[in-house]
Amino acid sequence: MQAHHAIQRILPLRLRHGVRELAYSVFVDQLGWRPTSRASMEIVDDDYRRGRWDYLNNLEEMSRYAVIAGYCKHRTNVLSVLDLGCGSGILRRWLRPPESIDYIGVDLSNVAIDRAGREWTDGSTRFIAADAATYVPDRKFDVVIFNEVLYYFEQPSKILEHFAGFLENNGHFVVSLWDAPESRRAWRQSRGSVRVVDAVQTRHSSGVSWQICLCRPRL
Ligand SMILES: C[S@@+](CC[C@H](N)C(=O)[O-])C[C@H]1O[C@@H](n2cnc3c(N)ncnc32)[C@H](O)[C@@H]1O
């Protein structure tokens, strides 16, 4: 096992994020642009196997899924959705009626994708294990969703610009970011690539909060 993987396995999740942020802020200028992710398949698979993402099913997370689904519902012409970093497919349950929305969920974790695939076997849903940083869709979408994933990319703006090419005319991005330093970095780096059409902030009584934006690519 490589040393940095060993360290990542030992450190608690939040501390890992902090160490990773520090390393990237020091070395970001030397990284240049590569369509790369800060996560690895081994690490996220391990996270899912150990249940580290189980909290995503908790009630306190509900508001952001509800707002994202609301953005898709409000725009009545939404027939196709690409959910990047979809995890085990929690958001899919919120998109209604499911059979009228062609949905593709992409995640780096095979474990998460296997779980999602077991729950969803209908013809309008596909789950794909892939790195969103290099994933090339075979179609365009009405909405491309970045639900708590944008901060995993070294240069989120480049990812947004890449997926702008896979939006239908008048298609939208939906971006959810929790209130944390890594999110602020990702948003600072991305906001030049998008025009915000609408934004909602949600805050749970436990203190955790999110900003969810409906955006158009800035071409
Ligand atoms: C905080 S979780 C959010 C999961 C899901 N969007 C949700 O809210 O239920 C972040 C997810 O991003 C995935 N992820 C991280 N880097 C990724 C990448 N480069 N490509 C695809 N998925 C990635 C992780 O495996 C994880 O499932």
Side-chain angles (χ1 to χ4, degrees):
M1 189 191 300
Q2 288 175 314
H4 69 279
H5 282 172
I7 291 166
Q8 283 184 312
R9 275 166 199 259
I10 295 163
L11 293 176
L13 196 64
R14 291 267 178 258
L15 190 55
R16 262 168 36 198
H17 284 172
V19 170
R20 201 180 51 199
E21 279 307 306
L22 186 65
Y24 275 92
S25 62
V26 172
F27 295 115
V28 72
D29 291 339
Q30 294 157 40
L31 290 169
W33 159 245
R34 282 171 288 132
T36 47
S37 164
R38 296 160 168 226
S40 75
M41 197 239 288
E42 291 85 354
I43 296 291
V44 288
D45 272 351
D46 193 52
D47 285 343
Y48 276 100
R49 270 195 215 99
R50 288 167 183 253
R52 287 185 181 137
W53 297 111
D54 286 356
Y55 73 87
L56 295 173
N57 281 299
N58 292 353
L59 194 54
E60 67 187 43
E61 301 285 317
M62 175 193 65
S63 63
R64 68 182 159 90
Y65 295 108
V67 172
I68 296 167
Y71 277 140
C72 294
K73 189 83 182 166
H74 181 73
R75 307 194 61 81
T76 46
N77 53 346
V78 169
L79 299 174
S80 54
V81 166
L82 175 62
D83 183 8
L84 296 165
C86 63
S88 56
I90 298 172
L91 180 69
R92 182 51 171 138
R93 300 184 199 138
W94 285 83
L95 302 175
R96 305 243 139 227
E99 62 282 1
S100 69
I101 296 180
D102 277 334
Y103 171 99
I104 296 183
V106 174
D107 200 280
L108 195 54
S109 165
N110 290 297
V111 175
I113 289 296
D114 279 356
R115 281 184 199 163
R118 265 181 263 127
E119 182 177 345
W120 294 92
T121 52
D122 63 292
S124 51
T125 305
R126 257 199 296 161
F127 284 100
I128 298 171
D131 184 344
T134 50
Y135 173 67
V136 179
D138 57 7
R139 55 163 298 169
K140 292 189 173 190
F141 300 86
D142 295 317
V143 176
V144 175
I145 294 171
F146 297 86
N147 182 11
E148 298 305 312
V149 74
L150 214 49
Y151 37 76
Y152 280 97
F153 302 113
E154 281 176 13
Q155 290 196 264
S157 62
K158 300 286 183 188
I159 301 290
L160 288 162
E161 286 160 20
H162 169 66
F163 284 102
F166 296 96
L167 282 176
E168 296 283 9
N169 288 341
N170 208 28
H172 286 77
F173 291 131
V174 177
V175 178
S176 170
L177 292 168
W178 73 300
D179 185 16
E182 70 225 50
S183 298
R184 288 190 280 280
R185 176 204 64 85
W187 187 241
R188 265 196 312 277
Q189 217 274 323
S190 323
R191 66 176 171 223
S193 307
V194 293
R195 180 172 58 79
V196 175
V197 176
D198 194 67
V200 169
Q201 276 186 324
T202 70
R203 184 178 194 84
H204 186 262
S205 52
S206 63
V208 63
S209 61
W210 295 266
Q211 167 125 321
I212 304 111
C213 293
L214 182 70
C215 314
R216 286 273 304 143
R218 204 187 282 276
L219 298 174

